[in-house]
């Protein structure tokens, strides 16, 4: 440092001692100043008013490549060589400029220092004049520092920012960047697009003020503030809200602090409304499938049409969310629709309605075989019919669906709703699925009823056949007209008295009517022989129960009736034929029948003998109890024919 100009104290007398002290202080002070100048990180050079270097600190030595001792007294331009970074043109040295202007001079902002060994170092800073107490310039102090790192850092920061902004701009997910006050500092297009908003409405506002304050939720506030204070993050915070411009939506928020910044929060928003709706659709689909299964099961298990249709209408109301539903069946012969089931109506009037095809809504649906959807019945008021029967119901929306199975129209399903329905396609799809099921249900119930009817007809046909056979048998056997009929009546009476069921009795009736059907296999010469049979003839005659078994067992319908034709000649004591069964081995039906048959045979004329009187026949039956006949059956028989008195006698 150049020695300062003597102080004004020169005007007064100074003692040597004072002077010595002053010099000492000055030396100390200079040492302190030097130490300070040398220790600062910034480079520092001082020149005199000629621009010659008088001081240079180590930082300046490092940057310029000159040592202080080499540089001392050299002109500043030689040591401090600077050019414009872009143009490479020499820049006026700040020292020169300061000396010229006497003012503080800042360096050109893109200044390169060319060091002694040719390194180029971006630097910044300024030159300032040094003045003495009287204000005269005594030199220039030049400070500068290496900007390489700062530049690099700045550049890196710039790049990072651009990179981040690019990401934000290109990501399809709406993104917000918030500062530490939770103000919006950056927004991407996706955000503006999704929320139909503008930068003016968004940038620089607090997140809680955006839109209709949809993010102003205490929980969300807490989470965002936690991110700032604790470097936490959160994912999947769902907000369902009636958003401005876009309506009811569900947004999923993810937020985290931007790395290396304690100040910024990146907030990503995902609109999951559609995903939720899709999930709900899947759920409702599943529920609907289950509903279809319920109806299926109803169809399979309940052949009662009413039960099936009730289940169906209940499912329709539940799963289509409608107020009322009715089902009309079409009578194909009269072409009229009658209401078979109705749910959700306040009045019973709809159940009384009968419509011809073409008449009313339902009739039109049946005739046109097309679904009819009327979103607002009030606009069809000229028709008026809904007013007449609906009262006190007031329905707004109507849907009529034809029920078609195997190409045949089975009826019409009607749906009514008290408020306007604006259903989506999948509502109609489900309605169609339900309608198909309804049609199948009706069809299968009808088929079942038809089957039952044809079964009944078959039964009638069988019964007629059996009666015809029995009649023919009687005629062939030359028995009195009606033997089969009479033994049958008596056997049925005995069976009832024995407590047998109606079903068993039905089989017994058929068996009794056909008891001697096996005689069809016996030649007339034997069957109609006026006298006693020879042993050979007996062998043949005794085959008639087996013939009956052979004839009837292939007929499934008559199989349960076989006991009597096959076993009616077995005897209680085991002496009967064809198998010689004994006691309880003989089916009860056959035991019952045997008594009735012999009782009637004895009182009938036979080719081989004349009829017996009643008393003789009765006597014979009694005598055979426990031999030919089951004794209990004989007792029963005596009760049934009212002959107990005779026993008592
Ligand atoms: P059916 O004439 O219908 O007789 C049925 C059963 O009634 C006989 O079975 C027998 O148990 C009883 N029954 C009928 N008539 C008499 C009778 O005069 N005395 C006695 N004790 N019981 C009588 P059964 O004996 O096994 O005979 C089976 C069938 O064989 C008879 O049916 C009949 O068609 C034939 N039959 C039996 N005996 C003679 C006979 O002497 N001459 C001829 N032509 N046929 C006979
Ligand atoms: C109905 O369809 O349920 C009766 C009303 C009509 O269509 O006329
Ligand atoms: C039959 O099997 O139907 C004849 C009766 C019996 O088994 O004894
Ligand atoms: Fe017989
Ligand atoms: Fe008989």
């Amino acid at each position: 440092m150049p020695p300062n100009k003597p102080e004004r104290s020169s005007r007064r007398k100074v003692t040597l001692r004072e002077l010595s002290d002053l010099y000492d202080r000055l030396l100390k002070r200079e040492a302190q100043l030097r130490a300070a100048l040398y220790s600062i990180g910034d480079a520092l050079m001082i020149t005199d008013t000629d621009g010659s270097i008088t001081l240079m600190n180590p930082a300046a030595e490092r940057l310029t490549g000159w040592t202080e001792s080499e540089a001392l007294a050299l002109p500043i331009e030689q040591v401090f060589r600077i050019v414009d970074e872009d143009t490479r043109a020499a820049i006026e040295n700040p020292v020169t400029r300061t000396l010229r202007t006497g003012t503080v001079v800042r360096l050109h902002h893109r200044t390169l220092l060319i060091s002694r060994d040719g390194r180029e170092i971006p630097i910044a800073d300024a030159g300032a004049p040094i003045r003495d107490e009287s204000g005269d310039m005594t030199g220039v102090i030049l400070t500068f520092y290496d900007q390489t790192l700062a530049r690099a850092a700045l550049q890196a920061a710039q790049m990072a920012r651009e990179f981040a902004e690019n990401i934000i701009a290109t990501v399809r997910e709406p993104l917000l960047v918030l500062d530490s006050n939770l103000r919006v500092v950056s927004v991407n297009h996706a955000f503006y697009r999704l929320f139909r908003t503008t930068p003016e409405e968004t940038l620089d506002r607090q997140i809680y003020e955006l839109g209709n304050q949809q993010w102003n939720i205490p929980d969300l506030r807490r989470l965002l503030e936690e991110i700032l204070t604790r470097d936490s993050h959160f994912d999947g915070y769902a907000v369902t809200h009636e958003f401005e411009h876009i309506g009811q939506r569900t947004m999923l928020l993810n937020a985290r602090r931007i790395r290396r910044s304690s100040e910024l929060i990146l907030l990503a928003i995902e609109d999951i409304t559609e995903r939720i709706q899709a999930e709900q659709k899947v759920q409702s689909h599943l529920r609907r499938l289950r509903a279809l299964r319920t109806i299926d099961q109803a169809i399979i298990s309940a052949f009662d049409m009413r039960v099936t249709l009730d289940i169906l209408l209940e499912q329709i109301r539940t799963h289509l969310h409608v107020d009322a539903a009715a089902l009309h069946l079409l009578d194909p012969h009269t072409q009229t629709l009658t209401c078979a089931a109705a749910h959700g109506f306040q009045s019973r009037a709809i159940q009384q309605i009968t419509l011809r095809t073409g008449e009313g809504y339902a009739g039109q649906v049946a005739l046109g075989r097309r679904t009819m959807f009327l979103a607002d019945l009030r606009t069809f008021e000229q028709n008026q019919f809904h007013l007449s029967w609906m009262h006190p119901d007031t329905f707004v929306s109507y849907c009529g669906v034809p029920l078609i199975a195997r190409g045949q129209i089975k009826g019409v399903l009607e749906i009514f709703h008290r408020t306007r329905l604006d259903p989506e396609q999948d509502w109609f799809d489900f309605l169609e699925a339900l309608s198909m099921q309804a049609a199948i249900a009706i069809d299968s119930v009808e088929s079942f009823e038809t089957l039952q009817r044809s079964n009944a007809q078959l039964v009638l046909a069988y019964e007629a056949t059996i009666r015809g056979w029995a009649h023919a048998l009687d005629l062939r056997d030359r028995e009195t007209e009606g033997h089969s009929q009479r033994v049958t009546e008596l056997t049925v009476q005995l069976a009832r008295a024995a407590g047998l069921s109606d079903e068993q009795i039905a089989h017994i009736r058929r068996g009794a009517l056909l008891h001697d059907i096996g005689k069809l296999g016996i030649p007339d010469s034997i069957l109609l022989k006026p006298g006693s049979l020879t042993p050979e003839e007996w062998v043949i005659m005794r085959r008639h129960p087996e013939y009956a078994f052979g004839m009837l067992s292939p007929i499934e319908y008559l199989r349960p009736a076989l006991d009597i034709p096959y076993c009616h000649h077995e005897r209680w004591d085991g002496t009967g034929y064809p198998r010689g069964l004994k006691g309880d081995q003989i089916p009860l039906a056959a035991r019952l029948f045997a008594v009735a048959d012999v009782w009637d045979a004895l009182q009938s004329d036979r080719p081989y003998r004349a009829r017996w009187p009643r008393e003789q026949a009765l006597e014979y039956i009694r005598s055979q109890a426990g031999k030919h006949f089951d004794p209990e059956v004989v007792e029963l028989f005596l009760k049934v024919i009212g002959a107990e008195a005779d026993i008592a006698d």
Side-chain angles (χ1 to χ4, degrees):
M1 192 166 200
N4 276 342
K5 270 194 160 180
E7 296 177 26
R8 285 168 199 236
S9 57
S10 59
R11 291 184 191 166
R12 71 172 177 94
K13 238 173 129 51
V14 187
T15 65
L16 188 62
R17 182 178 170 77
E18 276 175 335
L19 201 60
S20 149
D21 279 354
L22 180 64
Y23 187 73
D24 221 32
R25 275 205 319 253
L26 278 174
L27 277 183
K28 266 190 197 147
R29 186 163 160 74
E30 191 193 350
Q32 282 166 353
L33 283 171
R34 267 187 186 270
L37 289 176
Y38 282 96
S39 68
I40 63 173
D42 284 359
L44 186 140
M45 295 165 88
I46 293 173
T47 66
D48 59 17
T49 47
D50 299 328
S52 299
I53 295 166
T54 58
L55 182 145
M56 206 173 157
N57 74 352
E61 287 180 328
R62 256 196 320 279
L63 288 178
T64 58
W66 293 80
T67 63
E68 187 180 29
S69 52
E70 288 169 333
L72 277 179
L74 289 178
I76 184 77
E77 286 86 355
Q78 193 178 337
V79 176
F80 188 71
R81 289 168 54 208
I82 52 174
V83 295
D84 181 285
E85 187 178 332
D86 302 315
T87 64
R88 315 294 299 183
I91 301 170
E92 185 183 16
N93 197 288
V95 174
T96 320
R97 199 149 146 230
T98 302
L99 289 171
R100 184 163 53 78
T101 60
T103 58
V104 173
V105 171
R106 297 229 152 256
L107 272 183
H108 189 283
H109 80 285
R110 287 174 73 77
T111 300
L112 277 184
L113 171 69
I114 317 270
S115 72
R116 195 179 185 186
D117 52 5
R119 281 178 299 136
E120 299 184 348
I121 305 158
I123 56 165
D125 222 338
I130 304 169
R131 295 176 190 281
D132 65 12
E133 283 181 355
S134 59
D136 297 332
M137 202 186 316
T138 60
V140 174
I141 181 162
L142 173 68
T143 61
F144 55 98
Y145 56 90
D146 184 352
Q147 270 207 310
T148 315
L149 284 176
R151 280 271 196 94
L154 203 69
Q155 237 168 16
Q158 177 73 19
M159 267 173 59
R161 217 179 75 221
E162 280 170 10
F163 186 63
E165 275 174 2
N166 274 336
I167 291 178
I168 290 174
T170 48
V171 160
R172 294 164 55 106
E173 213 173 47
L175 295 174
L176 289 179
V177 178
L178 307 177
D179 68 10
S180 56
N181 295 317
L182 301 177
R183 279 183 186 282
V184 179
V185 292
S186 188
V187 184
N188 69 350
H189 284 295
F191 181 90
Y192 294 129
R193 257 200 314 279
L194 174 60
F195 292 98
R196 297 202 200 137
T197 180
T198 59
E200 294 72 54
E201 291 176 326
T202 313
L203 283 172
D204 218 27
R205 302 200 181 223
Q206 250 228 328
I207 180 162
Y208 307 127
E209 302 165 352
L210 298 184
N212 52 13
Q213 305 205 342
Q214 61 262 27
W215 313 120
N216 193 359
I217 305 166
D219 265 355
L220 184 59
R221 259 174 195 272
R222 191 176 46 73
L223 287 170
L224 286 171
E225 276 152 24
E226 264 177 27
I227 290 183
L228 288 172
T229 54
R230 289 198 230 151
D231 194 16
S232 59
H233 68 271
F234 65 80
D235 293 315
Y237 183 82
V239 177
T240 301
H241 183 80
E242 182 75 30
F243 289 89
E244 198 177 45
H245 310 305
I246 58 173
Q248 178 82 14
R249 304 235 133 204
T250 300
M251 303 288 172
L252 212 56
L253 307 187
N254 295 334
R256 58 202 59 241
R257 216 154 79 169
I258 294 178
R259 259 174 86 83
R260 293 226 199 88
S261 153
S262 55
E263 314 255 281
L264 297 179
I265 296 178
L266 184 65
L267 183 66
I269 301 170
E270 189 186 355
D271 183 356
I272 56 165
T273 314
E274 263 105 49
R275 199 209 300 164
I276 288 180
Q277 282 168 352
E279 275 165 15
Q280 284 169 346
K281 255 190 196 147
V282 168
Q283 285 301 323
S284 94
H285 225 86
L286 279 177
R287 279 198 300 275
R288 287 171 175 184
L289 281 179
R290 264 182 240 125
L292 292 179
R293 258 197 70 65
T294 308
I295 298 166
D296 265 350
Q297 280 163 349
I299 294 172
I300 292 163
S301 59
F303 273 106
D304 182 342
M305 173 93 88
R306 273 203 59 81
V307 174
T308 305
L309 296 184
D310 275 349
I311 290 172
L312 187 89
L313 289 189
E314 194 185 293
Q315 298 288 335
I316 286 174
R317 281 183 61 211
T318 310
H319 295 281
L320 291 177
H321 309 289
V322 291
D323 290 327
L327 207 142
H328 307 265
L329 292 182
L330 181 74
D331 180 330
H333 306 295
T334 60
Q335 286 292 302
T336 53
L337 289 162
T338 49
C339 184
H343 270 218
F345 297 90
Q346 289 182 39
S347 125
R348 298 181 51 82
I350 191 166
Q351 317 231 24
Q352 262 78 62
I353 289 178
T354 301
L355 294 166
R356 270 194 263 280
T357 52
E359 207 176 41
Y361 293 144
Q364 285 172 34
V365 170
L367 190 65
R369 290 166 154 257
R370 278 254 187 84
T371 295
M372 180 192 283
F373 178 71
L374 304 172
D376 196 340
L377 285 176
R378 293 167 300 191
T379 62
F380 291 83
E381 215 136 335
Q382 66 274 23
N383 290 334
Q384 294 286 323
F385 41 59
H386 60 280
L387 293 177
S388 58
W389 66 264
M390 264 185 206
H391 184 80
D393 277 314
T394 47
F395 294 114
V396 172
S397 286
Y398 170 89
C399 191
V401 188
L403 304 177
I404 297 170
R406 294 187 295 172
Q408 304 283 309
I409 178 137
K410 299 291 172 188
V412 174
L413 171 67
E414 291 190 300
I415 282 172
F416 297 89
H417 201 56
R418 296 195 170 87
T419 53
R420 190 187 160 96
L421 285 173
D422 286 300
E424 290 177 28
Q425 187 55 42
D426 75 332
W427 187 92
F428 282 108
D429 292 345
F430 187 53
L431 176 60
E432 190 189 333
L434 288 169
S435 306
M436 276 169 59
Q437 288 222 332
I440 291 166
I442 295 164
D443 185 53
S444 67
V445 171
E446 277 179 1
S447 310
F448 181 74
E449 284 176 353
T450 308
L451 186 67
Q452 269 191 328
R453 217 177 301 132
S454 55
N455 235 331
Q457 281 161 0
L458 194 66
V459 168
L460 287 180
Y462 268 125
E463 300 298 331
T465 306
I466 293 165
R467 270 199 307 277
W469 284 346
H471 187 58
L473 291 175
D474 286 355
L475 288 180
R476 174 150 186 269
D477 216 358
R478 306 277 156 86
E479 286 184 307
T480 21
E481 171 78 25
H483 162 73
S484 293
Q485 201 60 49
R486 283 194 309 276
V487 275
T488 299
E489 287 313 315
L490 183 53
T491 309
V492 167
Q493 272 182 288
L494 291 174
R496 272 208 191 99
L500 297 184
S501 72
D502 286 351
E503 202 194 338
Q504 288 170 310
I505 290 172
H507 295 309
I508 286 175
R509 179 189 299 279
R510 288 172 209 136
L513 279 168
L514 299 175
H515 70 278
D516 266 343
I517 195 167
K519 281 186 183 168
L520 288 175
I522 307 299
D524 282 355
S525 58
I526 298 173
L527 188 67
L528 303 180
K529 186 178 177 185
S532 316
L533 301 176
T534 64
E536 294 77 30
E537 289 169 337
W538 257 115
V539 169
I540 293 167
M541 176 54 77
R542 286 156 66 113
R543 282 185 191 147
H544 79 272
E546 274 158 341
Y547 290 158
F549 185 83
M551 289 164 75
L552 298 182
S553 59
I555 303 171
E556 190 177 336
Y557 179 73
L558 292 173
R559 214 169 288 146
L562 262 174
D563 281 353
I564 291 173
Y566 189 38
C567 308
H568 68 287
H569 288 298
E570 301 288 356
R571 293 176 177 231
W572 184 254
D573 58 10
T575 62
Y577 61 91
R579 292 178 290 172
L581 300 178
K582 198 173 178 178
D584 286 340
Q585 291 177 326
I586 307 162
L588 177 59
R591 282 180 267 144
L592 294 170
F593 174 81
V595 177
D597 187 35
V598 172
W599 167 249
D600 194 83
L602 289 175
Q603 294 178 81
S604 305
D605 286 323
R606 283 289 184 269
Y608 56 95
R609 56 138 183 85
R611 68 162 81 171
W612 289 10
R614 177 184 160 95
E615 278 314 309
Q616 192 185 345
L618 197 60
E619 182 56 36
Y620 180 78
I621 300 289
R622 277 192 188 124
S623 71
Q624 292 299 313
K627 295 178 196 161
H628 187 163
F629 307 120
D630 176 351
E632 285 180 41
V633 173
V634 173
E635 251 179 73
L636 202 63
F637 162 80
L638 293 175
K639 267 189 211 155
V640 164
I641 64 160
E644 289 135 301
D646 302 346
I647 304 166
D649 288 343

